[in-house]
Amino acid sequence: MPVISFENVTKVYPLPAGDVVALAGVDLAIEKGEFVLIMGPSGSGKSTLLNIMGSLDVPTSGEVTIAEKRIGGMDDDDLTLLRRDHIGFVFQQFNLIPLLSIVENVEYPLILKGRQNGTRERAEEVLQAVGIEKTHFTHKPGEISGGQQQRVAIARALVNDPAFLLCDEPTGNLDSKTGTAIMTLLDRMNREEGKTVVMVTHDPRMTEYADRTIRLVDGRIA
Ligand SMILES: Nc1ncnc2c1ncn2[C@@H]1O[C@H](COP(=O)(O)OP(=O)(O)OP(=O)(O)O)[C@@H](O)[C@H]1O
């Protein structure tokens, strides 16, 4: 059973000047444990595809199944729960909460989920797994480097043990050496922890990390 499957998925944005077809009949299946890149020119539908995979948006037509749940017919509350329980997001902008410490940022999704016990220990365990030193746990995001902030964001994405990670240009704000370290970390999470990773990127060097690259052109898989 794939972790994500799309059957004949279309997404149309109705605009006064005419409909914009962002996705035009996409079929895909992403299996557990895969590392998949999504590439394609600007405007080809990558963000639209990632948003639907992340249940941040719904298709105009077609069938989408995420973590064995069909999203057709789900309301906003159902989609929110699906995101919270099954999907880890990593963005180009790290999106950490500036007023919370590093460990509190990672603990936050556990608290949102209503977990009462062991949240601090779980957050510390995942921070250690992504290579953040204990001395940094009580720092604020603004007090650590961009590469360290992205590691913290990856820890936050992993803390609820999601079915898969969706990454949108995760190295886009980092210098190439730091970007390589982040890719090595994602690669290790994929190989050693069996995490499914789906990543949108413009950088062709990333293909060496991936099992497979999905190329979009004009809303279709090329
Ligand atoms: N909210 C929206 N309303 C109207 N049109 C939209 C909307 N979002 C995206 N589009 C259009 O849908 C098409 C696909 O856009 P999308 O952002 O998915 O492409 P992309 O491949 O992610 O592009 P980029 O690499 O520039 O981020 C484009 O023609 C875009 O203008």
Side-chain angles (χ1 to χ4, degrees):
M1 183 93 187
V3 191
I4 303 169
S5 87
F6 279 40
E7 283 168 53
N8 198 17
V9 168
T10 66
K11 180 71 184 180
V12 179
Y13 295 107
L15 293 182
D19 289 352
V20 176
V21 180
L23 294 177
V26 170
D27 292 303
L28 60 81
I30 294 177
E31 302 294 334
K32 185 170 163 39
E34 274 197 294
F35 194 134
V36 176
L37 293 190
I38 300 170
M39 299 188 76
S42 183
S44 59
K46 302 183 296 298
S47 300
T48 304
L49 187 74
L50 205 73
N51 287 344
I52 294 174
M53 284 183 175
S55 72
L56 294 164
D57 203 352
V58 291
T60 307
S61 65
E63 192 69 58
V64 175
T65 307
I66 296 170
E68 300 185 14
K69 293 179 171 52
R70 285 175 172 246
I71 69 162
M74 281 192 181
D75 62 20
D76 282 349
D77 289 345
D78 296 332
L79 293 172
T80 301
L81 289 181
L82 179 67
R83 277 197 298 279
R84 189 193 72 184
D85 294 341
H86 297 288
I87 308 171
F89 292 94
V90 180
F91 300 100
Q92 181 172 349
Q93 317 289 347
F94 319 121
N95 294 342
L96 300 174
I97 300 171
L99 291 176
L100 296 183
S101 70
I102 297 310
V103 71
E104 287 166 346
N105 263 281
V106 177
E107 203 177 0
Y108 192 55
L110 296 170
I111 291 169
L112 279 184
K113 204 172 170 179
R115 188 163 151 179
Q116 308 266 340
N117 299 311
T119 55
R120 183 55 57 101
E121 291 77 7
R122 170 68 182 154
E124 290 180 354
E125 175 190 54
V126 186
L127 277 169
Q128 270 167 342
V130 301
I132 296 290
E133 289 174 21
K134 259 193 162 144
T135 51
H136 287 135
F137 287 3
T138 54
H139 285 42
K140 298 283 194 307
E143 297 165 351
I144 58 174
S145 71
Q148 286 168 326
Q149 288 185 59
Q150 193 59 301
R151 285 177 192 272
V152 174
I154 292 169
R156 179 187 53 187
L158 289 169
V159 75
N160 267 330
D161 199 20
F164 56 91
L165 287 186
L166 289 182
C167 309
D168 196 355
E169 294 272 3
T171 61
N173 265 345
L174 303 172
D175 62 73
S176 71
K177 186 164 166 255
T178 312
T180 300
I182 292 297
M183 288 306 294
T184 304
L185 171 62
L186 289 170
D187 186 51
R188 183 161 63 79
M189 291 297 150
N190 173 250
R191 283 174 201 277
E192 294 177 11
E193 309 288 331
K195 282 292 163 202
T196 310
V197 180
V198 182
M199 179 184 303
V200 166
T201 182
H202 284 104
D203 188 344
R205 288 173 302 181
M206 300 305 173
T207 48
E208 70 177 276
Y209 296 96
D211 298 315
R212 183 153 70 97
T213 300
I214 293 173
R215 290 178 201 280
L216 282 179
V217 177
D218 294 337
R220 295 176 198 277
I221 294 180

